[in-house]
Amino acid sequence: MNLMTKTPLIISTDPGIDDIAAMTIALFDPAIDVKMIVPTWGNVALNYTLQNTLNLEKFLNTKVPVVVGANQPLVRPAISAASVHGETGIAGFEFEKADDSLVEKGLAATKMHEAIQASPEKMTLMGIGPLTDLALLFKQYPEDLEKIKEVVIMGGNIGHGNHSPLAEYNIAGDPEAAQVVFQSGIKIKVAPLEVGNKAHVTPEQMERIKECGEVGKMLHAMFSNIHETDGSNLIKIFDPTAVGIMLHPELFTMKEANVEVELAGKYTAGATAMDFLSDKPNAEIAVDVKTDEFADWFIQGVKIAEQGRK
């Protein structure tokens, strides 16, 4: 594939087990040129998400610049998902510790701005953690909005939440930041909680992933340590759905909606009110996924990563 046809991408992430899977797929997909990774606070504290990002790149033998993102939400106290992902965010696999040679000094918003302005192609942004850094970018550099192709988000929920009854974790972590992003006027694609619940792999498919080599063994070890609250043996791989809706929207049913983030509610803070009847939509929402085809794509992505890291 001609390099000029690759989509330039900046990933904002809080690894996190499923973030590791999403980055692994994205870093080696032939249609993507990952320009920068911005680890942020989220599933666990920033010191862990930063180190997890660097360790993954060392493991994969990639050299994408890493810029340190936000260490807390815009307004609220930080929350944590260490009970799901383990204290360091990646329970189940011990990476060799990487140095910080890939870290580029500077504020994340400014470094993203510089990359966006330097890119001959419009930049795509992927938010698979709290959206703090994307909100800071949009507020600090509004001139960048016209140079952004789209924002792809794993977050939000149509119905029941996973952080609270009505809020999904990534959005609940920084609802004010999410509202800034949804109000930006940029084209937005959303893989909500429901599509992540459905885009699972079975234990049998996870065994196929394990057989893909060192990358497969790494993902198998981590996903085997996720503690699903519903007791299901299906392995839900939420964040890779963001890569999926960016590259293969044909695997999903997408519907337009107007999305507003609840900021004030005592019991509903962080809820994403998705109005599919609105005549002023601001996002495309994935409401269904072809589960088997998605799993096949995911397994193929692991194989490509295994070949690419050598």
Side-chain angles (χ1 to χ4, degrees), residues 27-87:
L27 282 164
F28 290 99
D29 192 283
I32 297 176
D33 180 11
V34 182
K35 295 294 189 183
M36 182 184 302
I37 300 171
V38 183
T40 178
W41 78 279
N43 282 313
V44 289
L46 177 63
N47 59 313
Y48 290 124
T49 63
L50 171 60
Q51 192 62 53
N52 292 346
T53 302
L54 296 171
N55 292 351
L56 177 67
E57 288 222 65
K58 181 181 177 74
F59 176 81
L60 296 175
N61 296 320
T62 52
K63 302 291 183 189
V64 174
V66 174
V67 177
V68 181
N71 69 357
Q72 58 187 333
L74 295 178
V75 177
R76 299 166 191 250
I79 58 178
S80 172
S83 62
V84 176
H85 293 263
E87 182 188 355

Side-chain angles (χ1 to χ4, degrees), residues 156-215:
N157 52 301
I158 301 167
H160 201 277
N162 65 347
H163 172 68
S164 70
L166 290 169
E168 179 275 332
Y169 186 88
N170 284 346
I171 305 299
D174 199 340
E176 285 77 14
Q179 181 72 338
V180 168
V181 173
F182 280 108
Q183 294 295 314
S184 66
I186 296 175
K187 181 181 178 182
I188 297 173
K189 288 180 183 169
V190 181
L193 194 61
E194 287 79 4
V195 87
N197 279 325
K198 191 167 183 185
H200 56 251
V201 294
T202 64
E204 293 75 24
Q205 288 167 327
M206 191 51 77
E207 287 302 314
R208 284 172 56 196
I209 288 169
K210 187 179 181 181
E211 293 164 7
C212 290
E214 294 306 310
V215 174

Side-chain angles (χ1 to χ4, degrees), residues 231-292:
S232 170
N233 69 344
L234 298 173
I235 299 105
K236 298 164 186 173
I237 46 176
F238 295 99
D239 287 338
T241 58
V243 187
I245 61 172
M246 173 186 163
L247 292 175
H248 295 288
E250 72 278 4
L251 298 181
F252 299 81
T253 302
M254 306 293 294
K255 288 188 177 179
E256 290 189 333
N258 182 269
V259 181
E260 297 285 346
V261 183
E262 175 59 69
L263 305 179
K266 181 177 180 181
Y267 302 107
T268 58
T272 44
M274 297 185 179
D275 182 1
F276 291 97
L277 301 178
S278 172
D279 59 358
K280 295 181 180 177
N282 61 0
E284 274 189 282
I285 315 297
V287 297
D288 202 359
V289 58
K290 297 175 181 175
T291 304
D292 292 340

